[in-house]
Structures are given as C-alpha cells and as structure tokens.
Amino acid sequence: MNITSGSKSPLIEANRILVIGCPGSGKSTLSTRLSRALDLDYISMDRDFYWQPGWRKRPRDEIDRRIAKAVAEERWIMDGTGLSSFHLRLPRAEAVIWLRLPRSASLYGAVSRGLRYFGRNRPELPVGCPERLSLEALAYIWNFERDAAPLIEAALRDHVAGIAEHGPDVPVLQLKSRRQMRELLDLLGRPA
C-alpha cells in the first residue's frame, strides 16, 4: 500500500483500520495518534473486548459479540492482533497496518512500557488491570516472528486472495521501524 499514491491515499480514505503486530511494537501509541489525525474512534481490543478488572478474560462468546458490535460501526481504528477474531474484523476493515518491527524494538517497547506503568493502568487497558511484565510475555515477543507472523501472513494472504470469508481486498501497510511510524504520521500532517 502506498500512502501517497494517486490523488488520495487508501489510508486517508479508510474509515475502518486495523493495527496489528507484536506486543511492544507501538500498536496502541500509533492507533491513538492516527485516531486523532484521521478523526476515527479508537478501539483497544485489550480494554474494550478481552479484559475485565483483575486480568479476568471475558468468555469467548462475549468477546465475539463485543467485536461484532464494534466493527459494525462506520468509523474506527482498532489495535490488537487477535488472530481468533480476524474473521470478524477483516471483512469490515478498509486498511491494515502491520507493525513488523525487529524483535529487539518490540522487546524494548514492552520492557520500557512495563517499567513506566508497572503496577498502574495504562490507557489502553481497563481499570483494574495494572501493568505487568512476565517471562511468558517476553518469550511470546521473542518468538513472535517465528510463531505468529506466519499465521498472520496466511490469514492476510487468504483474505487478499479472496480465499477466506473475509470480504474484499484490503490494503496492508507494513511498517518496520518507529521511524516509519513517525513518517506516516508526518505524511498525514500530524506530529509524532
């Protein structure tokens, strides 16, 4: 996807955008800034669908109902990778931004965020879910490209090819550095 192609960018014209990627890659930060730049409602999958106070996960059927209701809206930007809900989100998305930073950048992002918010809530989490950092989370980040990225690639490839039940072709913009995220925001006329 070329941000500046033609007279209007597919990203600028998009009313519904998914921001996906490894934990610590900057999904929430970018989504928040893009929501302001593009005047889109910001939806955090962690805050709005998955978690209840005390880090209790909602039942799957409730998560799916909440996602289905949210994606039915006309204008939004949603952060969260959640492969198990691609079938609900991709049919409505008009663009996907995949933050595909190096492992070291995502680890740095997760650890620095963990230290900054440790024991407190960060904005994209529900009240009662203080920041925590576990070895399990760090291992997930370490292995994200090996374990999760091929599943994301397959889901997006099937979607673009029309094999999956995910609706029409959706442009996918891969950003591979924090610099590229800043450049995207600059192109949209908003400071990083």
Side-chain angles (χ1 to χ4, degrees):
M1 176 173 146
N2 184 347
I3 301 166
T4 57
S5 65
S7 61
K8 287 192 177 180
S9 162
L11 186 60
I12 291 172
E13 292 178 341
N15 289 313
R16 294 175 298 278
I17 301 170
L18 294 180
V19 180
I20 62 174
C22 183
S25 62
K27 295 181 303 292
S28 298
T29 300
L30 181 66
S31 297
T32 300
R33 291 175 179 166
L34 285 174
S35 75
R36 290 190 299 259
L38 300 171
D39 193 30
L40 297 172
D41 291 334
Y42 168 59
I43 301 169
S44 164
M45 289 188 67
D46 285 337
R47 181 191 62 218
D48 299 322
F49 306 141
Y50 287 122
W51 299 109
Q52 300 177 83
W55 287 104
R56 290 179 298 118
K57 194 167 188 179
R58 287 189 168 87
R60 182 78 241 175
D61 62 331
E62 183 181 345
I63 292 169
D64 288 347
R65 275 195 311 274
R66 285 171 169 264
I67 291 171
K69 182 179 178 183
V71 298
E73 297 297 323
E74 285 305 310
R75 294 182 49 78
W76 46 259
I77 185 164
M78 183 181 302
D79 78 348
T81 303
L83 280 163
S84 63
S85 64
F86 265 22
H87 70 286
L88 296 170
R89 296 180 299 134
L90 275 176
R92 292 285 295 156
E94 294 179 350
V96 175
I97 300 172
W98 184 358
L99 302 185
R100 202 155 184 194
L101 279 63
R103 171 190 304 170
S104 59
S106 293
L107 283 168
Y108 176 80
V111 170
S112 64
R113 175 184 69 202
L115 292 173
R116 183 172 53 248
Y117 287 103
F118 188 76
R120 298 181 297 128
N121 272 87
R122 55 186 158 101
E124 62 276 5
L125 289 175
V127 173
C129 293
E131 182 65 26
R132 59 187 185 180
L133 195 57
S134 68
L135 289 177
E136 180 182 327
L138 295 175
Y140 180 77
I141 293 168
W142 184 264
N143 295 310
F144 188 85
E145 272 300 310
R146 183 193 72 197
D147 298 342
L151 299 173
I152 294 169
E153 287 172 341
L156 292 173
R157 184 177 53 248
D158 290 350
H159 177 71
V160 169
I163 296 168
E165 301 172 16
H166 297 319
D169 182 24
V170 173
V172 178
L173 172 63
Q174 285 191 41
L175 300 177
K176 298 187 177 191
S177 70
R178 297 197 194 281
R179 188 177 118 228
Q180 287 183 334
M181 288 188 258
R182 286 189 302 271
E183 289 171 355
L184 171 62
L185 291 166
D186 288 345
L187 282 170
L188 295 173
R190 297 295 194 254

